[in-house]
Amino acid sequence: MLYLIPTPVGNLEDITLRALRVLKEADLILAEDTRTSGLLLKHFDIHRPMLSYHKFNEHQTVARIVDRLLAGETVAVISDAGTPGISDPGFLVAREAARAGVEVSCLPGATAFVPALVASGLPCDKFCFEGFLPQKKGRQTRLMQLAEEPRTMVFYESPHRVVKALQQFVEFFGEERPVAVCREISKVHEQIVRGTLAEALAYFTENEPRGEFVIIVGGNL
C-alpha cells in the first residue's frame, strides 16, 4: 500500500488523526527532506525508518520503492509541507505504484492553496492551479496564455520573487485585476492582502515580502 500523506503547512494541529496513525504503522516513510520531516515526526513521537525522496533523486529511487511495495511493505510519502504531488515530489512514485498494481491512497488534509483560494474572496467554484511559474524560459509565454483565462488563477511564489511576479501580473493582466496575496497560511503571521494588482504591488514594494506566498488572481471576466 502506498499512502500520500498531507502534513501541516503551518500549524502542527492541522495534521489529522488518520495521518498520524498511518505514519506510525508505515514500514517506510519517504520524506522530501528527512531533517525537516524528522522534526515533525519527533514532535508526534513517531519513530519509523525514513528515506530521502526529492526532485533530484526521485527517478533513481522510484523503482526500488515499487519493489518494496510489491514485496508487501506499506510506504508513506510526505513532503516538507502540504500534500505530496502538489508542487512537491510524489507524482512519480504514485504513477509507478499504480502501474504496478499497488493500491495508492491519498489522505485528505493540508494544502496551502485551498484555504488561500477559499478565503481570498474571489470566485472559487472554478479555478486553475498554476503553482510555480517557470522562472525564466517559458514564463512570459505562459503569462500571455493566461491573460485571457476566465477562471480564478492560483500561483505559488517565493518571497524574493513576489514583487517581480506582481509586476509581471500587472503587465500581462492589467493593474485593475483583483488579487488576494496570501502569506504564511495557518501560521502565526498569516496575512491576506486583497485589492487590485496595482494596490498589492504598491503594498509589497513598501513592505518586504516574508514567508511562503499563495497569490490568487481573478480571471478575465
Side-chain angles (χ1 to χ4, degrees):
M1 184 83 170
L2 177 71
Y3 288 99
L4 294 103
I5 301 181
T7 53
V9 297
N11 194 319
L12 293 180
E13 293 179 358
D14 291 339
I15 200 164
T16 68
L17 294 175
R18 185 183 175 202
L20 293 176
R21 176 183 61 77
V22 173
L23 287 171
K24 289 177 180 179
E25 295 175 354
D27 296 303
L28 175 68
I29 297 174
L30 294 184
E32 183 180 5
D33 187 324
T34 55
R35 295 166 298 180
T36 301
S37 296
L39 297 174
L40 174 72
L41 299 179
K42 181 179 179 181
H43 178 83
F44 289 108
D45 196 28
I46 297 172
H47 307 281
R48 304 305 299 158
M50 272 198 299
L51 182 67
S52 178
Y53 178 75
H54 47 73
K55 65 180 180 179
F56 299 109
N57 74 351
E58 57 182 341
H59 287 276
Q60 294 81 11
T61 303
V62 68
R64 289 189 290 129
I65 298 305
V66 171
D67 286 342
R68 295 182 66 162
L69 288 163
L70 290 172
E73 293 191 18
T74 295
V75 177
V77 182
I78 57 177
S79 61
D80 288 350
T83 300
I86 304 298
S87 291
D88 283 322
F91 161 69
L92 280 179
V93 69
R95 182 187 68 184
E96 295 307 311
R99 284 178 173 176
V102 174
E103 188 173 355
V104 177
S105 177
C106 180
L107 275 58
T111 302
F113 82 83
V114 173
L117 174 64
V118 174
S120 69
L122 294 171
C124 55
D125 55 335
K126 295 180 180 180
F127 64 92
C128 64
F129 175 75
E130 290 295 317
F132 289 98
L133 287 168
Q135 292 186 28
K136 294 181 180 179
K137 185 177 180 180
R139 186 180 180 94
Q140 291 196 350
T141 300
R142 186 61 187 145
L143 287 170
M144 289 177 62
Q145 294 169 342
L146 290 171
E148 302 302 319
E149 172 60 59
R151 296 170 295 179
T152 300
M153 296 172 284
V154 181
F155 302 93
Y156 283 166
E157 194 53 273
S158 60
H160 63 276
R161 288 198 295 266
V162 165
V163 171
K164 177 183 177 181
L166 291 172
Q167 289 172 336
Q168 291 181 316
F169 291 165
V170 167
E171 177 185 352
F172 287 92
F173 304 154
E175 61 181 16
E176 294 302 313
R177 189 77 70 92
V179 67
V181 183
C182 313
R183 72 179 190 92
E184 298 293 85
I185 295 294
S186 187
K187 298 179 183 178
V188 174
H189 300 292
E190 180 175 342
Q191 179 188 26
I192 301 179
V193 176
R194 301 178 179 88
T196 65
L197 282 171
E199 290 168 340
L201 175 58
Y203 178 87
F204 285 105
T205 300
E206 296 178 4
N207 300 272
E208 181 183 358
R210 295 182 179 180
E212 299 300 319
F213 281 78
V214 184
I215 304 176
I216 313 295
V217 182
N220 184 18
L221 301 177

